[in-house]
Structures are given as C-alpha cells and as structure tokens.
Amino acid sequence: MLEQIKILKSEVEEQVSSINDLVGLENFRLEYLVKKGKIQNLFELMKQAPAQEKPIIGKELNVLRKFAESKYDEFKAQFEDNRKTQPSIDLTLPGRLSNIGSAHPVYQVMDDMLTIFTEMGFAVAEGPDVEDGLHNFDSLNFPPDHPARDMQDTFFVNVNNSNENSENSENFVLRTHTSPVQVRVMKGMKPPIRSVMPGRVYRNEAINARSLAEFHQIEGLYIDKNVSFAELKATMMTFAKKMYGENSKFRFRPSFFPFTEPSAEMDITCFLCGGKGCRVCKYSGWLEIAGCGMVHPNVLRSGGINPEEFSGYAFGFGIERVTLLKTGIDDIRLLYENDTRLLNQF
Ligand code: DAH
C-alpha cells in the first residue's frame, strides 16, 4: 500500500506541475480530490490493510491529501487573482476602426471660403431663412414688377400668426438669395462695414445638373468712404486665387442686378475643357462663379446709410458652384444624394 501511495504521490506532483488554467485545475480536482477520486480510493483500500499498518498508511495518505488540497487552493487563488487584474479583452488584437463623420463637402468649401474672407478682414454675419418681402426684394431695389418676385421663382410662406392679416403673410418668402442680409447688416451697424454672410437660399426651380431648389450662397459687403470698383476686383481676385490656385484664370463681364450699379459677373476657366468649350460651359470656355458690383445708392438708403458720404461693393457666390469647380463633380445633384461612396472622398 505504501508503494501505491508513493506512486500516486509522484503522479499528483507531476499533474500539479502541468496545471496552467482553471480548466486544468478543475480536472485535477475531479481526478484526485472528490469523493470518488484517487486519494479517497486509497483511504477506502486502507480499510482492508492489516491493523498495525493502518496508522502509518493513514498518516501518509493524509500528507498526500493535504499536499493536493494545498496545491489546489494555491492555484485557485492565483488564477482568480489573474482574472481580476487581467482585462477580459485581448489587447494584442488590432483595434476596430469606428466610422467617423465629417463635414459635408459643401460645408467644407463654405468653411474654406469663410476662412479666406475672415483672413482678409471680413466679419461673418447671418440672417433668417424665412425673410420678408421688404428685405428680400424692396430694399434691394427690385422694382414691384420684377420677374424674380414671380411665383415661378420664389417660394412664398404662409405665416399663420394671429397678429398677421393674410395680406401681410403673403409678404414672407424663403429667401431667394443672401443679399437681404446686406440690408440687415447695414441697419445694424455704422460704416466701415466688412461682412460676409453665408446661408441657405431657395428657388422654385426645376432641379437639373446645374441647379437645385435649395442651395447655399456667401454674400459679401464692404462699405466705407470712397470705395472703388478696383477694390472690389482686387478682393474677388485675391479670394479666387487663394481658392483655386495662382494659375487659375478669371474674367469680369458686365451684368445687371437691381442692387448694384455698375454690376458684373466673375467667370473662371471651365474646369472640364480648360477653356476650349464643352457641354458644361455651354461652349463658352468659362463658368460663372459670382455676381458683384457697386452697392446701388437706393440699397444704401434702405440700410440707413447716406450714399453721398459712403459707397461700397457687394458680391455673391454660389457655394455649390464653387464646390463643383473645386472637386470636378459635374452634376450638382450628386452633392445631395448622400451616397457615402462620394462623401467619403472628402
Ligand atoms: N443675389 C445674387 C443672386 O442670387 C448674387 C449677387 C450678385 C449678390 C451681385 C451680390 C451682388 O451681392 O453684388 O443671383
């Protein structure tokens, strides 16, 4: 029997040295420490041993059981300790990338434009999207019968305000341009004024590759004593070169807006054909990027500014147009389909 105990002891010692996790430890317990386990089996066998050998066998078996139990307790404490200190995640795995959102390309371009203008000394101002007819048209020197006021071009807003009679409520529109903010800025401060005014604008227009019913503009206004057209041109050129690069080519051409006199439009060489003429530029080689001009004296008056004392220039950029030219996208509708394959590129 003593020989059997010796064999089991070396077996237990060997098993102990190979325990390296909780599963191994549990197998060890089932093999040696439970009621039907190998150590208890020998206690059973001891009953058949001669009486004078029993004390010594009992002693040896007890030593073996104590040894196995203490090893079991030792490992258990160690593994449970590890469990507490070791995080349950595998830190060696590569991390999972989360999807990070970013500004829409049109807003990225808007931010770039605002940065350039603020670096040039312009402040940023904003006005309401729902505008009254007075600011959107009248104070900008639109004559009462101007076609832009027409139902075809303008979204009229029914403002159901109990203080408003129905005649008045017809006077509210979704602003068709950011120019009304010029008048609000003039009313709110004294010259010198240097402001850019970004925002959303709305037109009751058919949607196609070139135009949307809802888009964005940045308006600019500069008012001081003796402001000249040369300053307007210099500002526009400085902006455009910063936006499109030193080598891009621009031209100014005479135009008409009720709120400026004289008025001009600024064109950039067509990005698609490089000036040779194509479908996008209607075979002219040029694409319009902004309207501009010297602020009409009537507009200064609407803003509470004396045109005898002050003069100024104004300009208006379509931000989607600037975005298309910058990115080479040739259909404005793509900007608002929210296809992540396109948006992820910016
Ligand atoms: N408001 C004009 C439009 O929506 C753009 C514009 C043209 C703005 C000339 C101006 C300007 O300030 O001077 O088409």
Side-chain angles (χ1 to χ4, degrees), residues 270-281:
C270 176
F271 67 94
L272 209 65
C273 62
K276 288 194 202 86
C278 68
R279 185 182 54 85
V280 170
C281 60

Side-chain angles (χ1 to χ4, degrees), residues 176-179 182 203 217 219-220 257 259-260 291-293 314-316:
T176 56
H177 50 176
T178 43
S179 303
Q182 284 186 29
R203 291 208 193 146
Q217 291 185 334
E219 193 78 16
F257 300 100
F259 35 91
T260 43
C292 59
F315 55 82

Side-chain angles (χ1 to χ4, degrees), residues 33-313:
L33 293 175
V34 292
K35 258 199 171 141
K36 296 236 157 69
K38 286 183 174 169
I39 296 177
Q40 195 57 36
N41 275 350
L42 288 188
F43 273 108
E44 294 299 321
L45 274 181
M46 182 180 78
K47 289 178 187 158
Q48 294 155 26
Q52 74 276 21
E53 284 179 22
K54 276 185 187 165
I56 172 98
I57 294 173
K59 198 178 156 212
E60 285 299 313
L61 273 177
N62 271 328
V63 169
L64 177 57
R65 184 166 60 190
K66 286 250 159 62
F67 170 74
E69 278 173 357
S70 71
K71 282 291 166 196
Y72 175 81
D73 291 343
E74 207 176 280
F75 275 112
K76 195 166 175 211
Q78 184 192 326
F79 291 147
E80 277 173 1
D81 244 30
N82 283 357
R83 228 195 215 170
K84 272 183 226 141
T85 52
Q86 268 175 13
S88 55
I89 48 167
D90 183 350
L91 295 176
T92 61
L93 285 174
R96 260 179 232 134
L97 288 183
S98 54
N99 287 324
I100 298 170
S102 61
H104 188 276
V106 168
Y107 276 76
Q108 288 183 29
V109 168
M110 185 196 282
D111 281 349
D112 291 348
M113 294 174 76
L114 292 177
T115 304
I116 296 174
F117 282 120
T118 47
E119 278 170 6
M120 290 165 81
F122 286 83
V124 180
E126 282 179 313
D129 285 26
V130 178
E131 188 54 281
D132 54 50
L134 189 75
H135 284 91
N136 198 76
F137 298 123
D138 301 84
S139 36
L140 289 167
N141 199 35
F142 280 81
D145 55 353
H146 193 280
R149 294 176 184 246
D150 207 304
M151 290 294 268
Q152 265 95 52
D153 294 312
T154 306
F155 287 114
F156 291 86
V157 179
N158 252 334
V159 179
N160 288 324
N161 185 325
S162 53
N163 295 330
E164 223 67 68
N165 62 37
S166 59
E167 258 170 61
N168 259 349
S169 64
E170 277 188 18
N171 263 330
F172 286 94
V173 300
L174 291 182
R175 64 178 173 195
T176 56
H177 50 176
T178 43
S179 303
V181 192
Q182 284 186 29
V183 183
R184 292 184 177 274
V185 167
M186 284 187 236
K187 283 179 176 169
M189 65 193 290
K190 289 196 163 62
I193 295 171
R194 296 181 202 89
S195 284
V196 280
M197 297 145 261
R200 216 176 269 247
V201 301
Y202 309 83
R203 291 208 193 146
N204 198 355
E205 267 181 33
I207 293 171
N208 58 41
R210 235 170 294 204
S211 58
L212 297 167
E214 187 183 327
F215 55 103
H216 297 78
Q217 291 185 334
I218 288 190
E219 193 78 16
L221 180 68
Y222 187 107
I223 296 176
D224 205 343
K225 291 188 168 145
N226 305 316
V227 177
S228 70
F229 196 92
E231 285 167 274
L232 166 61
K233 228 176 140 179
T235 306
M236 301 283 278
M237 288 300 283
T238 308
F239 163 78
K241 295 218 162 191
K242 281 198 178 162
M243 196 74 199
Y244 294 103
E246 276 302 315
N247 296 328
S248 32
K249 291 216 159 51
F250 305 93
R251 71 170 185 187
F252 284 81
R253 114 190 105 68
S255 185
F256 173 80
F257 300 100
F259 35 91
T260 43
E261 182 58 36
S263 305
E265 275 171 284
M266 185 189 198
D267 296 339
I268 183 172
T269 312
C270 176
F271 67 94
L272 209 65
C273 62
K276 288 194 202 86
C278 68
R279 185 182 54 85
V280 170
C281 60
K282 295 192 195 138
Y283 302 96
S284 69
W286 295 96
L287 287 168
E288 177 207 328
I289 52 169
C292 59
M294 303 307 291
V295 182
H296 195 288
N298 286 348
V299 177
L300 290 172
R301 270 185 218 108
S302 321
I305 290 171
N306 179 4
E308 307 296 328
E309 196 182 350
F310 294 103
S311 56
Y313 63 72

